[in-house]
Amino acid sequence: MTAKSRNRTILRRVSTVTALAAAGVLAAAGVASAHVTVHPESYAKGATDGLLSFRVPNEEDGASTTKVQVFLPTDHPVLGVLVHPQGGWTAKVTTTKLKTPVKTDDGTIGEAVSEITWTGGKIGPGQFEDFDVAFGQLPQDTDELTFKTLQTYSDGKVVRWIEQGGEEESENPAPVLKLTAADSEAPAATATKDGGAKTGSTAAATGSGDSSDSTARGLGIAGLIVGVLGLAAAAFALVRSRSARS
């Protein structure tokens, strides 16, 4: 093999590796952002009159999401749940009798919402939908709430977002809401467009929290791609150097 042919072979291999590496990085980014999540990511323990938004992306190319089921914990119940009307969707709310009633300033609560099912609508490929749920009070005796979710597609496929342990360890992690110390700065309640209450922590998390997560992920991906391209450029320079010496 001549020096010129050898250099062409090296360049082809470098180009192939670069393309595969870049594709892998972008594919990984797509998978990471396709999880069902709850927003904001955290609230103070015992927070009252707030809003939770369950973000459901469609990760199938040839099917639409036609049913979403969110299961609320009953061992640490969320009290006073109300579902925001969702255009095109019908919500069915299921309540369960609590094993241990919860005492509040307004009396003892013996039942709580255990499941919300949305049907009748459609989330197309490459789209997402936010399902908003208002609450009266969050529990004070736990550090996090796990909302197991089932996502059904028009082709019959059901994705079970029920795994616990975090996104890095699980392929289908359940949405998790972190509950912070109750003595942390209390968010002020602000009115939503439909007249409901939305706390300051919700506004901050849905605005700055989601934005910072997306920005950090984007910068990380960009850095990886730049690194791959840098390796390709170095290999190309090496080949040219060898060619010049020949």
Side-chain angles (χ1 to χ4, degrees), residues 3 10 77 79 99 164 199 201 215 233 241 246:
I10 293 174
L79 304 180
K99 292 182 179 180
Q164 296 177 255
T199 65
S201 64
T215 300
S241 175
S246 299

Side-chain angles (χ1 to χ4, degrees), residues 4-86:
K4 188 174 183 180
S5 297
R6 183 168 59 253
N7 290 343
R8 286 178 177 174
T9 300
I10 293 174
L11 282 176
R12 281 198 299 270
R13 290 176 179 174
V14 169
S15 298
T16 300
V17 170
T18 301
L20 290 175
V25 169
L26 293 176
V31 171
S33 62
H35 297 159
V36 173
T37 51
V38 60
H39 303 271
E41 295 180 351
S42 66
Y43 254 115
K45 293 181 179 180
T48 59
D49 300 327
L51 186 73
L52 296 175
S53 183
F54 295 92
R55 180 161 297 174
V56 182
N58 190 333
E59 57 180 4
E60 294 292 318
D61 294 331
S64 298
T65 295
T66 55
K67 182 179 180 181
V68 175
Q69 296 167 268
V70 175
F71 297 88
L72 285 70
T74 55
D75 52 347
H76 302 287
V78 179
L79 304 180
V81 169
L82 295 173
V83 179
H84 186 280
Q86 200 81 7

Side-chain angles (χ1 to χ4, degrees), residues 28-219:
V31 171
S33 62
H35 297 159
V36 173
T37 51
V38 60
H39 303 271
E41 295 180 351
S42 66
Y43 254 115
K45 293 181 179 180
T48 59
D49 300 327
L51 186 73
L52 296 175
S53 183
F54 295 92
R55 180 161 297 174
V56 182
N58 190 333
E59 57 180 4
E60 294 292 318
D61 294 331
S64 298
T65 295
T66 55
K67 182 179 180 181
V68 175
Q69 296 167 268
V70 175
F71 297 88
L72 285 70
T74 55
D75 52 347
H76 302 287
V78 179
L79 304 180
V81 169
L82 295 173
V83 179
H84 186 280
Q86 200 81 7
W89 295 86
T90 298
K92 177 184 177 183
V93 178
T94 301
T95 59
T96 298
K97 196 169 186 178
L98 300 176
K99 292 182 179 180
T100 305
V102 179
K103 294 182 179 180
T104 70
D105 294 338
D106 297 322
T108 300
I109 307 297
E111 288 187 344
V113 173
S114 58
E115 179 185 346
I116 306 174
T117 301
W118 287 272
T119 56
K122 182 174 68 174
I123 307 173
Q127 300 177 345
F128 74 91
E129 187 100 31
D130 284 340
F131 296 89
D132 294 335
V133 175
F135 64 82
Q137 183 175 339
L138 295 178
Q140 304 182 48
D141 56 351
T142 185
D143 294 328
E144 64 180 29
L145 295 176
T146 299
F147 300 94
K148 296 182 178 181
T149 303
L150 301 184
Q151 181 179 11
T152 302
Y153 287 90
S154 55
D155 60 2
K157 179 180 178 180
V158 178
V159 180
R160 300 169 61 84
W161 302 98
I162 62 174
E163 298 176 13
Q164 296 177 255
E167 293 186 2
E168 295 182 358
E169 296 82 5
S170 308
E171 289 187 5
N172 297 314
V176 174
L177 177 70
K178 300 292 183 181
L179 297 182
T180 60
D183 59 354
S184 58
E185 184 177 352
T190 56
T192 61
K193 61 183 179 181
D194 61 335
K198 185 173 184 179
T199 65
S201 64
T202 303
T206 53
S208 62
D210 293 351
S211 176
S212 60
D213 288 345
S214 300
T215 300
R217 182 163 53 244
L219 290 175

